């Protein structure tokens, strides 16, 4: 449960990858008195991007907001910041994981994200990478998606739709659906 005196800030840093750059950012965040609640790092070409959710007192968040642009300039980083709020996540009775390998072509990722959208599922994580063509093999696209169903959606319908889409696209894919037991709030569970 979020503390009432905690403030939150989302930071995205984008720049050319080099040794020590992530350490420099995390050290600066800590020196301002902020805590890293959540983070993601990804390499995209020669660039890296680092996304963080920070928490801290009003003073700590204000300090990072005022000092990070200068630190970003020193490190040759593009920095984007946005204040946010912490919130309790609604119940998600099911989680779905998919992995797909398919011949790369435009609109493939869109087809899979549309599948989750039409199944009323929230995509929590999407990772994709293209493996370059080798000799007589075309480029292959690897996709991993994690999604959650909201309390009123049935995740079981997505399995058949996923397999139909994989067949249509001549893709190799696997899907795993985990249903979590729902607790009755009035029973205190």
């Amino acid at each position: 449960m979020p503390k009432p005196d905690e403030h939150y800030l989302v930071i995205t840093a984008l720049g050319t990858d080099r040794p020590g750059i992530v350490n420099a950012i995390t050290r600066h965040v800590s020196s301002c008195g902020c805590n890293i609640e959540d983070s993601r790092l990804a390499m995209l070409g020669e660039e890296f991007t680092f996304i963080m959710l920070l928490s801290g007192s009003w003073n700590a968040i204000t300090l990072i907001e005022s000092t990070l642009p200068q630190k970003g300039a020193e490190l040759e980083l593009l920095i984007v910041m946005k204040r946010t709020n912490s919130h309790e996540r609604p119940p998600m009775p099911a989680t779905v994981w998919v992995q797909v390998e398919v011949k790369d072509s435009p609109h493939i990722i869109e087809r899979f994200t549309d599948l989750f959208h039409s199944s009323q599922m929230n995509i929590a994580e999407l990772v994709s990478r293209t493996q370059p063509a080798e000799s007589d093999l075309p480029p292959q696209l690897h996709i991993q998606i994690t999604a959650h169903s909201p309390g009123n959606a049935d995740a079981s319908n997505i399995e058949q739709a996923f397999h139909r889409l994989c067949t249509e696209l001549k893709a190799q894919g696997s899907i795993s659906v985990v249903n979590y037991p729902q607790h009755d709030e009035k029973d205190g569970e």
Side-chain angles (χ1 to χ4, degrees), residues 44 109 126-130 141-144:
L44 305 168
I109 294 174
L126 185 149
V127 177
S128 67
R129 71 181 185 287
T130 302
L141 177 63
H142 301 273
I143 306 169
Q144 293 177 286

Side-chain angles (χ1 to χ4, degrees), residues 111-127:
R111 296 288 306 274
F112 285 96
T113 59
D114 187 57
L115 173 70
F116 284 93
H117 172 72
S118 62
S119 297
Q120 299 179 339
M121 299 196 75
N122 300 323
I123 294 176
E125 186 173 60
L126 185 149
V127 177

Side-chain angles (χ1 to χ4, degrees), residues 101-175:
E101 185 173 320
V102 64
K103 179 181 150 189
D104 191 25
S105 66
H107 306 289
I108 296 290
I109 294 174
E110 175 191 353
R111 296 288 306 274
F112 285 96
T113 59
D114 187 57
L115 173 70
F116 284 93
H117 172 72
S118 62
S119 297
Q120 299 179 339
M121 299 196 75
N122 300 323
I123 294 176
E125 186 173 60
L126 185 149
V127 177
S128 67
R129 71 181 185 287
T130 302
Q131 183 174 333
E134 293 180 12
S135 60
D136 61 341
L137 297 175
Q140 292 292 302
L141 177 63
H142 301 273
I143 306 169
Q144 293 177 286
I145 299 174
T146 303
H148 305 289
S149 67
N152 60 352
D154 180 10
S156 61
N157 296 332
I158 197 168
E159 288 184 84
Q160 291 179 351
F162 174 78
H163 290 299
R164 280 193 304 271
L165 181 57
C166 285
T167 300
E168 176 190 334
L169 298 174
K170 298 182 174 113
Q172 298 295 314
S174 64
I175 184 169

Side-chain angles (χ1 to χ4, degrees), residues 91-94 178-184 189:
M92 298 288 176
V178 176
N179 291 299
Y180 301 104
Q182 294 299 296
H183 298 287
D184 190 354
E189 296 181 6

Side-chain angles (χ1 to χ4, degrees), residues 3 9 20 33 38 41 67 117 119 155 179 189:
K3 298 176 193 170
L9 183 71
D38 198 356
L41 182 133
T67 60
H117 172 72
S119 297
N179 291 299
E189 296 181 6

